[in-house]
Amino acid sequence: MGYLLQHLLIESARLSPEKTAVVYQDNSLSYRQLDELSNQVAHALVQQGVKRGERVGIYINKSIPSLISIYGILKAEAVYVPLDPQAPVSRLGYIIDNCTIRCLLTSTAKTPVMHELAKTTESLEVVIFTDTQKEVDELPLINLLWTDVLEMPKLAIENVSDHSDLAYIIYTSGSTGNPKGVMITHLNSLTFVNWAHDAMEVQSSDNFSSHAPFHFDLSIFDIYVAAKAGGTLYLVPETLSMFPPRLSAWIEQHQISVWYSVPSILTMMVNHGQLDQRNLSCLRKVIFAGEVFPTKFLRDLMRLVPHPEFFNLYGPTETNVITYYPVPVIPAEQTAPIPIGKCCENMDVFVISKDGVHITEPGIEGELIARGTCVAKGYWGDEEKTKKVFIKNPLENNFYDQAYKTGDLVQLDEQGNFIYKGRIDHMIKSRGYRIEIGEIETAIYSHPQVKEVAVLAIPDDLITNRIKAVIALKADSTIDAAELRTFCAETLPKYMIPEIFEFKAVLPKTSTGKVDKTSMLKDALV
Amino acid sequence: MNVKESIKNYVISELISDNQHSTLSDTDQLIESGIIDSLGIMKLIGFLEENLSVQIDDMELVPENFATIESIATMVEKKL
C-alpha cells in the first residue's frame, strides 16, 4: 500500500484527534470525527459494491458533508468526481455517463435535479443523501440516507491502493463542445501537496481558507495542505464572496492565516472590501493562482495588508502548480504583470520553441512543458486528446518519460523567472476558470436559428476576460439575447455564458474567407 | 418605467439564465435561490451605477440590500 491522500487526514487524526479539522458557519468537526465519518461513508460505498478505481460523484453545495464525502470515497479506494453544484443538468449528465458514475453522494436540496439525472443518465444506480433530513423524496435508484451511513462501522477499511491509482477527476472546458476529465493520481496530487506544505511553511496553528469550489483544482491546496499541517480549514460560505466587506470581516473574525484564491476575489476586496478598516494581521500567507493578478491591484493589496508574504502560483489542472513566485515589493511605476516565477523544487519545467528547440536564454518565447510526478495520467476516455498534449519528453531519448504541453507561452527573464505571455490556442481565462472558446461556439451553433457565431474574449482588468458573442441569425429569425442566454444555460456553466450578445447581418471575413475575429475584437475594444 | 420595474427587468433579462424564474416577484429571494451570484452582483452594481446614476458605497454591499428586488429598489430609491 502506498502513501495516499487520505493518509494526511488519518495521520493528523492520530496525532491530534480533538483538534478542529473543518469549520463551516456554525458547524465544525474534529479530526477524529472527520476520520470516523469518512470511514463510515467508505463502508457504505463498499457495501454498495464500490470497487477500487471506481468513479464516485459528489454533487453537494460546498459544506462539511462534501469534505466527508471526498475522504470517504478515497478511503473506499475509489476516485472522486466533484461536480459543479451550479452546472446545468445536461452537463452533469454528460460527466456522469462519461466516466460511468454508478454511485453519487448528494444532499436533499438537490433532489429535483437528481430526479432528472436519474431519468436521463445511464450509469447512475445508487444515491447517498449526506444531510440529516428525515423526509426524503426517494429517487428511482437505490437510496441511502445519512442515518444508514451512521450505522456503519467507524473503523478504517483495509486497503491496497497504490499511489499511482487515480484519486480524483476534475472536468475542465473542452474545445469540441464537451468538458474533459483530467485524471489525477494520488502521487500527482501529493507531489504538489508535499511541495506546497514545505514551501509555504504552514503549521498546525494555521487557519486555512477554503475559497475555491471543490470542482476547481485550487481546492487541492486547501483540503490536503491543511490536513497535512494538522491545521483548521474554514470553508468560505458561497454568498460571502459576493459581499467583499463581509468577506474581509470573515477573515478577521476567523483569524485566517493562510489565504488561497483566484486574484479576482482579492481585487474585489481591494476595491470594495473596506480593507483599511480591518485588522488582518492574522494573515501570514496570501497565495493566488489561476489568472494574472493586475499589478496595480496587487500593489494596492500589499499596501493595505502589509504583513503577509504573497505568492503567485502557476500551473494547469493537468499538473497542478508547477512554478511559484514570492512577490517582492512592487515599484510604484510598474505596470507589467509579475512573473509566474521558478519551478517548484520537486518538479521540472522547460521551454520549447515552435521549431522544437530547447530555450534556455532569457527573452525568447516558447511553450512551457512540464514533466515529473506532477503530470496527470491524461483525459478520461479520450485517447486522442490525451496524445496531443501528454507527450514523450522531447529532451529524453533513452527511455519513456511523460511530459505535458501546457499550451502556455512563456519566456525567461534575467533572474531566471518565467514570464507568462499568452496561449498558443483558443483557451482563455475568466475569473480563474479556463474556458475553451470552441465549447461556447459549439453551444451557440447548436441553436437552430443561428447561422454564424464568433466568441471573443475582451481583456478586462478585474476578471482577465469578458466573453462576447457576435452572432448572425438565419433569415426570419426572431430570437434575442435573453433567449440565447437561456439556451446557453442549458449546456454551459454560468461562467461560460457570454456577457454580451451582439447581432450582425453577417460576420466580417478575412480575405481567405475565415471569420475575422481580429477586426471584431478591435471594434469591441473601441 | 419606475426604479423597481427597471431593476426587475434587468435581473430577468441579464441575470436569470434558466426558465424557472420568468415570473419573478418583488419579494423572491435572489441570493438564496442563486439568481444573484458573485458573477451577477458586480454586473448588477454596474447596471445600477450606469443606468440609474446612483453610487453604491462599499458599506452598502451587504446581503440585506440585495436579498430581493424590493430591497434593491429601496436602497436605490433612497439615493434618488
Side-chain angles (χ1 to χ4, degrees), chain A residues 8-22 28-39 75 204 227 229-232:
Chain A
L8 304 171
L9 166 67
I10 295 168
E11 187 63 8
S12 285
R14 192 180 64 80
L15 291 173
S16 46
E18 300 315 317
K19 175 89 193 278
T20 304
V22 57
S28 67
L29 291 181
S30 67
Y31 271 97
R32 181 184 53 77
Q33 289 171 311
L34 180 57
D35 190 37
E36 288 177 356
L37 285 164
S38 53
N39 285 343
K75 287 175 171 184
S204 61
T232 302

Side-chain angles (χ1 to χ4, degrees), chain A residues 194 198 457:
Chain A
N194 290 335
D198 296 351

Side-chain angles (χ1 to χ4, degrees), chain A residues 46 83 99 108-109 174 200 272 323 346 404 416 429 443:
Chain A
V46 170
L83 300 169
C99 66
T108 46
M200 297 297 126
H272 304 288
T323 73
N346 53 352
Y404 173 70
K429 284 280 183 129

Side-chain angles (χ1 to χ4, degrees), chain A residues 371-390:
Chain A
R371 61 164 292 281
T373 52
C374 58
V375 176
K377 267 198 166 168
Y379 302 117
W380 177 269
D382 197 334
E383 210 179 322
E384 201 183 317
K385 275 200 186 119
T386 300
K387 269 190 190 157
K388 266 192 195 159
V389 287
F390 292 88

